[in-house]
Amino acid sequence: MRKFTRRAAVAAVAATAALGFSAASASATSAVTWTVTPGGAFSADAANPTLSVPNADLFCDSSSAAGTLKTGSGNAGAGLGSINNLTFSGCSLAGISFSVDVSSPLSINAESVDPNNPNRVIGTISGITASISDADGLCTASFAGPGGGNATVTGYFDNSTHQLVVNGGSLQATEADCLGLINAGDSATFNAAYDTDPAQTITAD
C-alpha cells in the first residue's frame, strides 16, 4: 500500500491508470491481441481528478502514475500493462484534507476499439482497493468492488489528445464514517484525464 496526501477518496481509482492507447480502425473492435509501441516504462499526470458519491464531490489538485507496458505484437489485452505507483496530491472533501492509501500494482487491460470512435481504445484498470482518512479522524472511508473484492474502473485512450480518460467502473464505499458525506454502499464514479509520457500506441493485431 502506498500513502498519499490530501484531497479525496479520488485515490481509489486510480486511476486511475496511465498509458497511451491509440487505435488503428473501428474494424479492430473484436481483436484478441494487441501491438504496443514503444511499450516499456511510462508515466502519466492528471490535473483535477474527482470522485463523485451521491452526497459529495471529492477533489484532488493532481494525480501521477508510473508503470510498464508490454511491447511488440501478439499481446493479450488482459494484463497488457501495470501501474506500480499511483499518487494523489492536494486532496480534500468539504474542506477536510486527507491521506489516501491505494493498492498496487494495478492491471491495465485493453478490450476493444470503440466502434463509434476509431481514435479510442476501450479498456479497464483492475485490482483496486483504497482508503482515505484525515488527521483528526473526522472522515474515514474504504473503497473496493461490490461485495468487498477488488474494483475495476473503466475508460479509454483518445489518440487525438494522447490522454487516458477514466470515467466509470465498479467502485463502492465498503466502510465509511464521514459525517454522512460518504456512506457504506455508496457507488463512486472516478473521473480523470491522464496525459501520458511517452505517448504509447496500442493497435489491434
Side-chain angles (χ1 to χ4, degrees), residues 106-129:
L106 308 176
S107 179
I108 298 167
N109 313 294
E111 294 186 348
S112 63
V113 175
D114 187 340
N116 298 312
N117 188 333
N119 285 319
R120 296 178 179 177
V121 170
I122 296 169
T124 65
I125 300 166
S126 57
I128 301 166
T129 60

Side-chain angles (χ1 to χ4, degrees), residues 90-169:
C91 298
S92 68
L93 166 66
I96 304 170
S97 297
F98 290 90
S99 295
V100 183
D101 288 305
V102 185
S103 57
S104 63
L106 308 176
S107 179
I108 298 167
N109 313 294
E111 294 186 348
S112 63
V113 175
D114 187 340
N116 298 312
N117 188 333
N119 285 319
R120 296 178 179 177
V121 170
I122 296 169
T124 65
I125 300 166
S126 57
I128 301 166
T129 60
S131 62
I132 66 166
S133 62
D134 71 291
D136 297 321
L138 297 174
C139 178
T140 61
S142 298
F143 293 84
N150 290 336
T152 297
V153 294
T154 57
Y156 60 88
F157 184 83
D158 191 320
N159 189 47
S160 65
T161 60
H162 302 287
Q163 289 183 324
L164 176 70
V165 177
V166 181
N167 58 12

